[in-house]
Amino acid sequence: ALEEDGEDKPKNRRFACQRITPLNHPNQKFTEALEFLEKAAELRMGDNSRSRALAFRKASAALKALPEEIKKPEDVENLYDIRGGAHCKGVILDILENGYSAEVEGIKRSDWYQNMSLFTGIYGCGISTSAKWCQMGLRSLDDVKGSYILNLTRSQLKGIEYYNDLNTPVTKEEAKWIHDAVSQEVAAIQPGSTVVMTGGFLRGKDTGHDVDFLISHPEEGKEKGILGTLLQALTKKGLLDYTDIQNSTVTKTTVQTGMDASRNTMDHYERCFSIFRLPKTAQSHRSDESSERTVAEDSAAMDVVPPASESSPSMDVTPANGTAIPGLSLLEKTNGSTTSPSEIVQKTEDSGRSWVARRVDFVIAPAGQYAFALLGWTGSKMFNRSMRDYTNKVMNMNLSSHGLFDKTNNCSLQAKTEEEIFELLKLDYKPPEERNC
Ligand code: GTP
Ligand code: MN
Ligand code: MN
């Protein structure tokens, strides 16, 4: 009966990639709590913390596809990914009865969580490093900076230096400005190239933790060499602060079999994780500072000409204002009432810079793999995970950001567009805005 339910009701299909998952839905308070618990489970690093985390995430994804607000426990009773989960049901019940989850609030207040989220908020600092620092008794960014034995990596040093900037969500306007700047350079380097802003912004989000760009060229091979030249050009213009370049590790096997990419979320494309210097004049109204702006500052900010027009972005712009943007942690943003890790940081880092630091990812894909790369880098992560799971279990195929491999017929399947990939997988096409699980 449950299987039939799945067939009849698009909102209760077995795999998240079979459901329509919009960005905005009526069950935000439930999904925020579940995703907080997902994060907390990951931070805990216990034996099965990965699978516990995934269970919370799947439950959240199931609720995101519901068009109606949950009013009573029975509303979620039959949902895939929830019906077997006593813990998730308990959390939902708690919120239904009290308006909040006591478990979530308890974790948020704990020293353990506050410390872990402070350290994992440092770019380049993962969960195990954070846990190690906590264990060493470090409690603040100053403690980390003051410790001589840590041997901080290049990315961690940047992560500490730009802690507030990098924990401030990137706005759509900022992302557009960066997109224009990048497109302009790429067009000069290799005419006819495409630069697509993928990730959360392509799915319709208003803010993101970074900006993701997929660069390609319709003629296979012409994409080669673009990344290095692009990074040089942006650096020369003073727009890049940090780059972490990963060379392509694509082999014939990874493309044809989709191997390891199905287990691992990392793909094999040439890519760069970077820190971009966004001129402050390029920031339009930020709601969190607009109340402090004067008319003069407003007009200064309005003057900005996007780089796509005749003037090129340069660093000798007049700082629009000296107002520090209050650090707003991404965690805080999704979890309402928490004290943000950045509030724990006493020092404000506004040092009179004329720019703010923003995370930007670049990935380069050749034309033949473009559709798969686009699908992979559009996300969401959960959407990709469910689509790969579905592909494997239902179609007996492997899907990765490089290609699709049919294990029954032992052959790889080509696709030029995302629509073709959905068709090969016998899935109804979902535009990016419906992949927000
Ligand atoms: P925010 O940046 O937080 O707004 O969300 P996002 O969905 O853009 O997340 P993120 O920038 O982390 O990743 C964007 C998409 O690229 C997601 O779907 C990820 O799964 C995907 N992605 C990130 N890194 C890799 C990678 O190494 N390989 C593949 N295939 N995909 C990746
Ligand atoms: Mn992103
Ligand atoms: Mn990214």
Side-chain angles (χ1 to χ4, degrees):
L2 287 163
E3 296 298 323
E4 282 161 21
D5 263 351
E7 289 308 309
D8 295 343
K9 299 179 188 166
K11 62 181 184 183
N12 190 24
R13 296 264 170 96
R14 179 173 165 201
F15 296 92
C17 65
Q18 297 171 303
R19 311 188 282 247
I20 292 171
T21 315
L23 190 59
N24 298 310
H25 59 82
N27 290 298
Q28 219 86 30
K29 62 184 176 195
F30 301 97
T31 59
E32 277 171 13
L34 291 166
E35 284 176 30
F36 176 86
L37 292 171
E38 175 202 19
K39 175 87 195 296
E42 278 171 356
L43 293 180
R44 223 166 259 130
M45 294 197 312
D47 275 344
N48 37 32
S49 79
R50 267 312 307 158
S51 66
R52 285 168 50 85
L54 186 56
F56 287 124
R57 184 57 183 221
K58 283 182 162 181
S60 168
L63 299 189
K64 286 178 178 176
L66 294 181
E68 307 285 337
E69 190 183 337
I70 302 165
K71 293 274 166 46
K72 50 189 188 312
E74 298 77 58
D75 292 346
V76 302
E77 195 51 51
N78 289 322
L79 291 182
Y80 276 107
D81 298 327
I82 292 191
R83 61 184 192 222
H87 194 156
C88 291
K89 281 194 220 164
V91 172
I92 292 166
L93 187 64
D94 205 11
I95 297 173
L96 281 170
E97 284 177 353
N98 308 310
Y100 66 94
S101 156
E103 183 184 6
V104 168
E105 295 310 314
I107 297 173
K108 276 184 190 171
R109 278 192 306 267
S110 71
D111 290 343
W112 166 79
Y113 174 75
Q114 301 256 335
N115 270 305
M116 281 298 282
S117 62
L118 175 70
F119 291 155
T120 53
I122 300 171
Y123 174 57
C125 184
I127 295 172
S128 57
T129 305
S130 299
K132 194 174 79 189
W133 292 355
C134 287
Q135 223 143 43
M136 291 168 67
L138 305 176
R139 292 291 175 266
S140 68
L141 293 193
D142 282 336
D143 287 352
V144 173
K145 279 187 257 184
S147 170
Y148 296 97
I149 54 170
L150 290 182
N151 258 319
L152 298 174
T153 63
R154 211 165 55 95
S155 62
Q156 287 164 354
L157 287 166
K158 291 293 181 186
I160 291 168
E161 187 177 0
Y162 307 139
Y163 191 86
N164 285 344
D165 276 7
L166 297 182
N167 279 290
T168 303
V170 189
T171 66
K172 209 189 311 184
E173 289 70 30
E174 293 173 349
K176 280 199 184 114
W177 194 95
I178 298 172
H179 190 187
D180 285 345
V182 171
S183 302
Q184 191 187 334
E185 293 304 331
V186 172
I189 294 163
Q190 185 59 273
S193 301
T194 54
V195 179
V196 175
M197 187 156 66
T198 59
F201 288 111
L202 188 53
R203 302 196 308 275
K205 285 176 65 177
D206 285 329
T207 60
H209 97 280
D210 67 358
V211 193
D212 305 286
F213 293 111
L214 173 61
I215 301 170
S216 189
H217 195 285
E219 256 179 80
E220 183 105 9
K222 285 212 168 164
E223 79 288 351
K224 287 199 179 117
I226 293 178
L227 185 61
T229 315
L230 170 66
L231 298 175
Q232 272 172 17
L234 291 173
T235 304
K236 208 167 148 201
K237 289 204 163 157
L239 291 173
L240 277 185
D241 193 82
Y242 166 90
T243 56
D244 173 4
I245 303 160
Q246 326 244 307
N247 292 318
S248 166
T249 54
V250 179
T251 65
K252 223 175 163 198
T253 353
T254 54
V255 177
Q256 290 191 337
T257 64
M259 288 311 277
D260 59 49
S262 58
R263 299 209 159 272
N264 190 327
T265 49
M266 288 301 266
D267 59 40
H268 301 266
Y269 291 114
E270 181 185 17
R271 81 184 70 208
C272 177
F273 304 114
S274 77
I275 296 175
F276 197 93
R277 294 179 175 176
L278 179 76
K280 283 184 181 168
T281 49
Q283 295 182 295
S284 58
H285 270 296
R286 292 193 65 104
S287 55
D288 52 2
E289 66 170 355
S290 54
S291 57
E292 292 160 33
R293 271 184 196 270
T294 65
V295 175
E297 283 166 348
D298 264 342
S299 57
M302 295 303 201
D303 275 347
V304 181
V305 186
S309 0
E310 64 292 331
S311 90
S312 62
S314 75
M315 296 313 298
D316 47 354
V317 285
T318 330
N321 59 64
T323 327
I325 295 154
L328 173 64
S329 130
L330 298 178
L331 284 168
E332 181 189 42
K333 205 185 158 287
T334 45
N335 297 302
S337 63
T338 347
T339 310
S340 95
S342 46
E343 284 168 25
I344 304 165
V345 187
Q346 303 86 359
K347 172 184 178 294
T348 78
E349 61 193 24
D350 187 58
S351 53
R353 279 195 259 111
S354 60
W355 47 271
V356 293
R358 295 288 182 255
R359 279 271 300 110
V360 173
D361 286 344
F362 300 96
V363 60
I364 312 288
Q369 297 169 52
Y370 178 75
F372 296 96
L374 180 60
L375 183 66
W377 282 82
T378 298
S380 69
K381 229 169 241 172
M382 181 62 202
F383 184 86
N384 291 342
R385 184 155 38 193
S386 83
M387 201 170 187
R388 289 168 193 197
D389 198 24
Y390 163 91
T391 303
N392 194 22
K393 289 183 178 142
V394 178
M395 303 299 291
N396 194 34
M397 297 179 185
N398 277 340
L399 174 67
S400 76
S401 294
H402 296 281
L404 180 61
F405 185 78
D406 181 338
K407 292 186 278 185
T408 312
N409 298 307
N410 226 359
C411 63
S412 62
L413 305 172
Q414 308 301 311
K416 283 207 179 61
T417 61
E418 287 187 323
E419 283 85 344
E420 285 176 33
I421 301 174
F422 281 80
E423 206 175 308
L424 287 168
L425 295 174
K426 299 189 174 25
L427 285 169
D428 290 336
Y429 176 72
K430 304 276 186 302
E433 315 83 69
E434 296 178 355
R435 302 179 200 163
N436 282 297
C437 41

